Amino acid sequence: MRLLALLVCLLCLPVAQAQVRPYDDILESGVLKVAVYENFAPYSFQEAGQARGVDLDLAKALAEGLDLKLEVLWVTPGEKLDDDLRNFIWKGHYLRPNVLADVMLRVPYDRDYAFKRNDVGELANELVVMFAPYQRERWQVAYDSRRLPEVPSIGVFQFHPIGVELESVPSFYLTSVFGGRLSRNTHHYPGPQAAFEGMRKGEVDAVMALRGELDYMQHQARDPQIKNADNTYPNLGQPDWDIGMAVHESNRQLANALEAEVDTLVRDGRMQKLYAAYGLRYELPGLYQDVE
């Protein structure tokens, strides 16, 4: 009974909310805390105990630009992006009290998402500022030309098997488009890497995943017979989107400083070099495309 009473008391105690570090405190500490997704090659992952990836290299460049050292916080994805922003930007996670990042990378730079409202009409992410688009991402199909000479349209997957990640956008898309006629040839894998390996083993003839992921896997495979399809995806709601970063809404001074660093990296060509180092094609986000 005493143990039960103690547990009830603990559950009733208010949970201390992690404190957001003001810009001046960040500078004084000499450290920039950056949240990145774990196990997400080629953007952020660990290899032989070393943190690697485009977003890791970008985080280092941002920290160096502000004359700070980098501290990485690894994000395990929640069910929704809202969960990740809550856990790392404005509230913190109950298993990691008092731990927040100063900035989180690889956040969609999308006005509709930024201003979406919850069930009671309130802004779902009112405590978050999303800013500094630094890359345009898109969905891509890669195929093995030894078994599939070309991909004139995705209709070819009525006759050829294609691999996708389980419960992903490509999965939902390919099993529903054209009245579901591609579903029987849509094979599911635990992740894009497993789907790509399935293609190399001849289990499927193609893979649909993020372009960056496929570029990186092709770069590693060094197989000239694996090619990228160059076609559109009818009825796919958002085939491409811009990627940026997020801070707490009270930390706009940090956002302004980081945005200036990103702008310099994009315009002087260093951003493109970060992507090229992992074999990735780099596409400017819309903010820069509209200017040109």
Side-chain angles (χ1 to χ4, degrees):
M1 290 296 293
R2 289 182 181 178
L3 179 58
L4 178 60
L6 177 61
L7 290 173
V8 170
C9 289
L10 289 174
L11 290 173
C12 292
L13 288 175
V15 177
Q17 182 164 322
Q19 296 298 308
V20 176
R21 299 197 304 164
Y23 184 56
D24 288 343
D25 289 357
I26 294 171
L27 295 181
E28 185 177 352
S29 75
V31 174
L32 181 68
K33 298 180 180 180
V34 182
V36 296
Y37 285 103
E38 66 178 6
N39 302 322
F40 191 19
Y43 298 118
S44 45
F45 60 104
Q46 296 192 57
E47 187 175 69
Q50 298 295 316
R52 298 195 62 219
V54 175
D55 285 350
L56 262 299
D57 292 347
L58 172 58
K60 292 175 186 175
L62 294 175
E64 289 173 2
L66 300 182
D67 197 23
L68 299 171
K69 294 181 179 179
L70 173 65
E71 180 179 330
V72 176
L73 300 181
W74 294 98
V75 177
T76 301
E79 291 186 5
K80 299 184 297 183
L81 175 60
D82 297 358
D83 300 331
D84 303 336
L85 293 172
R86 179 185 66 250
N87 292 337
F88 283 88
I89 293 298
W90 63 267
K91 185 177 182 180
H93 195 281
Y94 70 94
L95 292 177
R96 298 182 309 276
N98 300 317
V99 175
L100 283 179
D102 301 316
V103 59
M104 181 173 169
L105 302 190
R106 201 141 295 273
V107 174
Y109 182 76
D110 180 87
R111 180 178 177 81
D112 290 339
Y113 178 77
F115 290 97
K116 76 171 184 174
R117 296 185 178 272
N118 58 24
D119 295 338
V120 296
E122 300 172 334
L123 286 174
N125 294 296
E126 65 176 344
L127 296 178
V128 177
V129 174
M130 292 168 237
F131 66 102
Y134 59 89
Q135 175 213 346
R136 175 157 289 184
E137 183 64 278
R138 61 178 64 243
W139 298 110
Q140 176 74 56
V141 168
Y143 63 97
D144 191 325
S145 62
R146 285 166 291 224
R147 298 188 300 276
L148 179 59
E150 60 177 347
V151 181
S153 79
I154 62 165
V156 74
F157 298 117
Q158 295 179 78
F159 315 104
H160 290 267
I162 181 170
V164 296
E165 181 179 10
L166 186 68
E167 296 185 350
S168 64
V169 170
S171 170
F172 293 125
Y173 174 63
L174 291 173
T175 55
S176 61
V177 73
F178 299 153
R181 291 200 297 272
L182 312 184
S183 59
R184 71 181 183 88
N185 273 328
T186 302
H187 295 224
H188 292 90
Y189 292 85
Q193 181 69 55
F196 191 84
E197 290 304 316
M199 177 174 66
R200 298 193 70 192
K201 294 175 182 176
E203 298 169 355
V204 293
D205 295 342
V207 176
M208 184 174 181
L210 293 176
R211 178 174 64 183
E213 292 177 311
L214 289 175
D215 280 355
Y216 180 62
M217 287 182 274
Q218 291 178 66
H219 177 66
Q220 289 187 308
R222 301 187 183 280
D223 184 346
Q225 298 303 316
I226 297 178
K227 300 181 179 180
N228 292 308
D230 183 20
N231 48 262
T232 58
Y233 306 103
N235 301 321
L236 179 58
Q238 193 170 11
D240 56 61
W241 61 98
D242 289 341
I243 297 294
M245 49 192 73
V247 298
H248 191 275
E249 61 86 21
S250 66
N251 226 343
R252 293 176 185 269
Q253 191 174 1
L254 173 61
N256 292 338
L258 291 173
E259 195 162 45
E261 294 296 326
V262 168
D263 187 70
T264 299
L265 290 167
V266 170
R267 295 186 186 280
D268 68 11
R270 281 183 290 162
M271 187 73 76
Q272 184 172 2
K273 289 180 180 179
L274 293 182
Y275 283 75
Y278 294 86
L280 312 188
R281 289 166 287 174
Y282 177 67
E283 183 176 356
L284 286 168
L287 176 67
Y288 294 91
Q289 293 186 18
D290 294 341
V291 172
E292 295 184 352

